[in-house]
Amino acid sequence: DHLLSHPSTQASSMLIVPLPVLWNVLMNGLAPIWPPSRTALNGVSLGDAWPCQAMPNPGAASWESILPFHKLTQWLTYSLMQPMQSLLNMHFAGTELLTGLPEYRNGGLFVDLGVLNLKKDDMERGLQNYADYCRRTGHNGVEVAPMFEPSDDVVVEWRGATVGLLDLLCAEVNKHLKNELAGNEMTLPQLLEAGSWKGGREIAEINRPNTKEPPILIDSDGTVF
């Protein structure tokens, strides 16, 4: 009802809803779930957005070093758009504002395929983190992998690189499937669902058949995965 009655919604042969209308509903609705320890600006928690030490320049404003991912919110946006498009004939204007999902299957695909690699020092630190985690929790480390907290620059850079690589992957897939697609193009959500996420899961199962875990583990509170 909110989308249908919003003043920016256009009703013609189909309903046209600006994507930011749906986005704001989800961002505001999910705001209370984020821990107070998360990155904040002016006292407002930003949720799945993290400072990255590799980004700041001298004199830059503090927000310029923050990478906003909002993986959960984007996933919900993609999931909600599909039935509204097919059942209500609703068109969302501005879907190009959404990005690929920086989560463990998509990101794990690029690590398992050797597109991304941890630096030696980071690998050693991550393995020590995993050993400490196993001692702390009593977890039996059947298949060992480096582990980091979600705020660690390794994870932030990994997720940021994943977003960029998914765009490149989508372009390459469309180029190589040009004849089969017959003038159409595979969208980023289609690539995520049928390609990168599934591919990341399958290669994880091959490389780590006992746990099927990603090649980099995140010691998370459950809001980042």
Side-chain angles (χ1 to χ4, degrees):
D1 289 345
H2 175 76
L3 298 182
L4 295 175
S5 61
H6 197 275
S8 64
T9 297
Q10 301 177 33
S12 54
S13 57
M14 68 169 61
L15 293 169
I16 302 176
V17 179
L19 179 71
V21 176
L22 175 59
W23 179 257
N24 288 336
V25 169
L26 294 174
M27 285 293 289
N28 293 332
L30 291 172
I33 76 169
W34 306 118
S37 58
R38 286 292 171 83
T39 306
L41 281 178
N42 299 323
V44 178
S45 177
L46 301 183
D48 188 12
W50 309 86
C52 181
Q53 295 181 14
M55 290 188 62
N57 294 314
S62 60
W63 58 266
E64 292 182 352
S65 65
I66 297 173
L67 293 184
F69 297 123
H70 304 301
K71 179 261 172 183
L72 176 61
T73 311
Q74 293 205 79
W75 174 66
L76 284 171
T77 303
Y78 281 128
S79 299
L80 289 171
M81 283 196 307
Q82 198 281 327
M84 287 190 280
Q85 288 169 327
S86 59
L87 298 177
L88 299 178
N89 195 31
M90 185 179 290
H91 174 76
F92 287 91
T95 55
E96 71 279 358
L97 297 171
L98 296 172
T99 73
L101 301 180
E103 49 81 70
Y104 70 105
R105 291 304 186 203
N106 292 322
L109 175 70
F110 295 118
V111 175
D112 273 329
L113 291 179
V115 178
L116 297 173
N117 291 287
L118 284 176
K119 297 176 182 177
K120 181 181 178 181
D121 290 347
D122 289 327
M123 174 64 81
E124 293 175 352
R125 183 166 60 88
L127 292 175
Q128 183 60 54
N129 290 342
Y130 183 70
D132 294 341
Y133 169 82
C134 290
R135 282 194 294 270
R136 185 175 72 249
T137 63
H139 178 73
N140 182 16
V142 177
E143 291 168 334
V144 177
M147 173 178 277
F148 304 91
E149 293 185 351
S151 60
D152 195 293
D153 256 28
V154 167
V155 173
V156 179
E157 290 182 28
W158 176 36
R159 298 180 74 199
T162 296
V163 171
L165 288 169
L166 286 169
D167 282 341
L168 295 175
L169 179 61
C170 190
E172 286 297 311
V173 168
N174 278 309
K175 183 172 72 174
H176 287 283
L177 295 181
K178 183 177 181 179
N179 292 334
E180 290 87 341
L181 293 172
N184 298 306
E185 284 194 348
M186 180 178 291
T187 65
L188 184 57
Q190 289 172 329
L191 175 77
L192 295 173
E193 182 176 1
S196 58
W197 194 93
K198 182 179 180 181
R201 182 189 63 188
E202 291 182 350
I203 195 169
E205 185 174 359
I206 293 171
N207 289 348
R208 291 166 297 281
N210 293 300
T211 62
K212 304 176 180 61
E213 290 180 334
I216 298 175
L217 302 175
I218 299 178
D219 187 4
S220 174
D221 57 10
T223 58
V224 175
F225 50 91

